[in-house]
């Protein structure tokens, strides 16, 4: 049962389309995934069907399938993402080499989608204010093999103060009343009230104001929600534009969605295969370049160099950062981190022990190959032995990249007979 106050408002909003909307809620929802271009060529999978029109790497899949249980999911080959949720990044349109901020990023669907558009060239700041959700975000950034992302756990206002005008594009997928997810999440129905809608609208205004400060002149700000409430959507954008005369709606082509004003679109579940969403595309007036921020660079230590040379690993242009004994490789565009709560400052390379280097799981997932590899077949039991933490038969010696059908999934260390398992204990799973 949907709340009566919600239904009354939707009837006024939709008019003659109201019955079609109600009927759509009775249909099984469409499920989708998005392939990860950072992993190379996408595989052919029997359960994958028609493409998502607005995302080149998005596909609907058979609702009876369980792709989250496939080894490819652990290898970051794809991300399970609701089709309508792919719309915001499609309209953000990030380009390689740009500086991008995803201000409300957990659990990471849109951040990983952005990273796929950047293809390792540029800088992505993925932020989440909730500490627990920020950890989930960080894990998904790792799983998808992303090397040019900084994950922070900050209030948007603090980021705005630290990095004004620094980003070419900023995405605000704002916390909202979740009306568009009623078919997907029963909790969204239970939590809904008119008071919740108004509380969300006030919070969204604050986040929008912070996000605006992060955008360089000439840059793009995309605001999205998964709700139908006008006070959280068109009215929120109208009030924002009143407060920020330096922003204006940006005209973009989006033939798949229903126009809701210049640069604004609604995704209705009775008009497409997806849940309810709203997206607005705004532009900050002016044509200046993003602010230049320089930070000290650090040379890579000898232990890493020896390991990388032996394994045949070449890093892209970047800079080294050490957090305690952990070594990271960050994009050159990454600004100084002093004063910010950082969970992941770029690609984790590994840990510097007293007399050796121990590679990180993140490095394995980032790699597409190296000198020493052991490939496991997704159709055979050995891959499940590996994912559950058991040893795997192998003639390899020393550190070895374990792959599944050619996709990197973790590390092992061989003695010529078997591989000692280095798949992280917290990620281990059974078939």
């Amino acid at each position: 049962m949907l709340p009566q106050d919600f239904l009354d408002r939707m009837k006024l909003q939709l008019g003659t389309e109201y019955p079609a909307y109600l009927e759509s809620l009775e249909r099984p929802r469409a499920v989708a995934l998005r392939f990860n271009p950072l992993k190379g060529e996408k595989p052919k999978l029997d359960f994958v069907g028609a493409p998502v029109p607005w995302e080149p790497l998005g596909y609907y899949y058979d609702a009876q399938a369980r792709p989250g249980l496939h080894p490819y999911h652990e290898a970051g080959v794809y991300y399970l993402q609701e089709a309508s949720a792919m719309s915001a990044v499609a309209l953000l349109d990030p380009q390689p080499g740009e500086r991008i901020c995803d201000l409300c990023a957990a659990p990471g669907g849109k951040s990983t989608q952005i990273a796929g558009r950047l293809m390792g060239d540029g800088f992505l700041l993925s932020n989440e204010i909730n500490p627990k959700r920020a950890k989930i975000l960080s894990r998904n950034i790792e799983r998808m093999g992303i090397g040019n992302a900084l994950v922070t756990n900050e209030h948007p206002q603090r980021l705005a103060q630290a990095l004004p005008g620094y980003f070419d594009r900023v995405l605000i997928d704002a916390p909202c009343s979740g009306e568009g997810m009623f078919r997907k999440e029963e909790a969204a129905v239970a939590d809904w009230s008119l008071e919740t809608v108004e509380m969300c609208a006030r919070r969204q205004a604050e986040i929008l104001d912070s996000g605006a400060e992060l955008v360089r002149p000439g840059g793009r700000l995309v605001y999205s929600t998964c709700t139908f409430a006008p006070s959280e959507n068109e009215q929120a954008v109208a009030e924002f534009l009143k407060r920020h005369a330096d922003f204006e709606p940006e005209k973009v082509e989006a033939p798949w969605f229903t126009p809701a004003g210049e640069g604004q679109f609604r995704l209705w579940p009775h008009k497409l295969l997806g849940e309810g969403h709203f997206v607005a595309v705004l532009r900050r007036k002016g044509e200046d370049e993003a602010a230049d921020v320089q930070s000290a660079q650090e040379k890579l230590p000898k232990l890493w160099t020896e390991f990388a040379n032996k394994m045949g690993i070449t890093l892209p242009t970047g800079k080294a950062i050490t957090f305690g004994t952990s070594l990271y490789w960050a994009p050159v565009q990454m600004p100084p981190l002093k004063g910010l709560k950082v969970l992941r400052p770029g690609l984790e390379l590994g840990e510097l022990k007293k007399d050796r280097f121990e590679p990180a799981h993140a490095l394995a997932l980032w790699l597409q190959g190296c000198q020493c590899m052991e490939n496991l077949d997704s159709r055979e039991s050995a891959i499940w032995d590996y994912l559950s933490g058991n040893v795997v038969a192998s003639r390899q010696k020393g550190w070895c990249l374990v792959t599944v059908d050619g996709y990197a999934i973790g590390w092992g260390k061989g003695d010529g007979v078997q591989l000692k398992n280095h798949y992280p204990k917290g990620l281990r799973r059974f078939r």
Side-chain angles (χ1 to χ4, degrees), residues 182-416:
F182 280 179
R183 179 169 58 173
K184 181 182 176 185
E185 300 174 5
E186 291 184 8
V189 180
D191 293 341
W192 187 92
S193 69
L194 292 175
E195 291 75 19
T196 298
V197 170
E198 294 311 310
M199 180 271 291
C200 287
R202 292 191 296 270
R203 180 170 56 184
Q204 290 152 0
E206 295 175 1
I207 298 172
L208 270 166
D209 289 344
S210 296
E213 294 182 47
L214 293 164
V215 184
R216 69 166 174 83
R220 178 174 288 188
L221 173 65
V222 167
Y223 171 73
S224 70
T225 72
C226 57
T227 192
F228 302 121
S231 60
E232 299 180 66
N233 295 331
E234 294 92 343
Q235 291 174 22
V237 172
E239 292 300 318
F240 170 80
L241 293 173
K242 288 179 183 178
R243 298 192 303 272
H244 297 271
D246 55 335
F247 277 83
E248 61 187 0
E250 186 165 4
K251 185 177 181 181
V252 292
E253 296 296 323
W256 322 280
F257 312 137
T258 302
E262 188 172 5
Q264 300 176 61
F265 305 92
R266 281 185 175 270
L267 284 70
W268 295 103
H270 61 287
K271 291 188 175 184
L272 46 72
L273 288 176
E275 306 305 315
H277 256 68
F278 170 86
V279 185
V281 184
L282 307 171
R283 177 183 176 275
R284 190 171 188 179
K285 300 174 185 177
E287 296 296 339
D288 292 348
E289 295 293 326
D292 238 354
V293 176
Q294 300 294 328
S295 59
Q297 298 197 24
E298 181 182 329
K299 290 184 178 179
L300 283 162
K302 183 180 179 182
L303 288 174
W304 159 261
T305 304
E306 291 174 348
F307 173 81
N309 289 341
K310 183 177 180 180
M311 300 296 287
I313 298 172
T314 302
L315 295 174
T317 303
K319 55 189 177 185
I321 295 177
T322 52
F323 271 28
T325 59
S326 294
L327 177 66
Y328 288 81
W329 191 244
V332 291
Q333 300 99 319
M334 193 166 77
L337 308 178
K338 187 176 181 180
L340 296 178
K341 297 176 186 175
V342 176
L343 275 69
R344 183 174 294 274
L347 173 64
E348 185 181 7
L349 300 179
E351 192 172 358
L352 299 165
K353 303 285 189 176
K354 185 177 181 181
D355 57 353
R356 71 186 191 281
F357 178 81
E358 188 163 312
H361 185 59
L363 175 64
L365 292 170
W366 175 79
L367 290 169
Q368 290 194 19
C370 65
Q371 295 283 17
C372 182
M373 296 189 292
E374 182 68 40
N375 187 56
L376 305 177
D377 193 314
S378 64
R379 299 165 296 182
E380 297 179 359
S381 61
I383 182 60
W384 293 103
D385 289 337
Y386 178 75
L387 290 174
S388 60
N390 295 323
V391 296
V392 176
S394 172
R395 294 182 179 179
Q396 302 288 357
K397 291 186 177 181
W399 285 107
C400 179
L401 181 67
V402 180
T403 63
V404 53
D405 299 342
Y407 298 111
I409 198 167
W411 292 109
K413 197 170 187 180
D415 60 8

Side-chain angles (χ1 to χ4, degrees), residues 6-237:
F6 167 75
L7 293 174
D8 291 343
R9 195 200 70 224
M10 290 297 287
K11 190 172 184 179
L12 288 173
Q13 273 186 259
L14 287 167
T16 57
E17 292 184 18
Y18 180 65
Y21 165 70
L22 290 181
E23 192 275 330
S24 74
L25 299 183
E26 300 300 319
R27 296 196 299 266
R29 66 185 186 86
V31 288
L33 58 77
R34 177 177 40 77
F35 285 108
N36 181 6
L38 300 175
K39 285 288 179 173
E41 187 175 347
K42 68 177 185 286
K44 294 181 179 179
L45 298 170
D46 293 340
F47 56 80
V48 172
V52 174
W54 46 90
E55 168 49 56
L57 293 172
Y59 291 84
Y60 297 100
Y61 66 84
D62 182 354
Q64 301 301 314
R66 303 179 73 185
L69 301 181
H70 197 287
Y72 286 178
H73 182 268
E74 302 312 302
V77 176
Y78 50 72
Y79 190 103
L80 303 182
Q81 186 178 24
E82 199 278 312
S84 292
M86 301 179 192
S87 61
V89 173
L91 293 174
L92 185 70
D93 194 26
Q95 301 296 314
E98 291 184 331
R99 298 168 175 174
I100 312 293
C101 176
D102 185 357
L103 198 53
C104 310
K110 294 176 178 65
S111 275
T112 58
Q113 189 180 3
I114 291 168
R117 299 289 183 103
L118 295 180
M119 286 301 293
D121 183 9
F123 170 60
L124 169 62
L125 188 153
S126 299
N127 180 69
E128 172 57 43
I129 191 172
N130 182 292
K132 290 183 179 179
R133 286 170 55 81
K135 289 179 181 178
I136 296 171
L137 166 65
S138 184
R139 287 199 296 269
N140 279 323
I141 292 290
E142 176 179 273
R143 180 173 65 86
M144 301 299 279
I146 297 165
N148 59 332
L150 167 67
V151 179
T152 56
N153 171 213
E154 278 293 353
H155 192 288
Q157 192 173 35
R158 279 181 53 81
L159 287 179
Q161 292 168 351
L163 299 169
Y166 189 66
F167 295 95
D168 299 294
R169 301 174 197 250
V170 172
L171 172 63
I172 299 175
D173 184 41
C176 67
S177 58
E179 296 172 0
M181 296 292 113
F182 280 179
R183 179 169 58 173
K184 181 182 176 185
E185 300 174 5
E186 291 184 8
V189 180
D191 293 341
W192 187 92
S193 69
L194 292 175
E195 291 75 19
T196 298
V197 170
E198 294 311 310
M199 180 271 291
C200 287
R202 292 191 296 270
R203 180 170 56 184
Q204 290 152 0
E206 295 175 1
I207 298 172
L208 270 166
D209 289 344
S210 296
E213 294 182 47
L214 293 164
V215 184
R216 69 166 174 83
R220 178 174 288 188
L221 173 65
V222 167
Y223 171 73
S224 70
T225 72
C226 57
T227 192
F228 302 121
S231 60
E232 299 180 66
N233 295 331
E234 294 92 343
Q235 291 174 22
V237 172

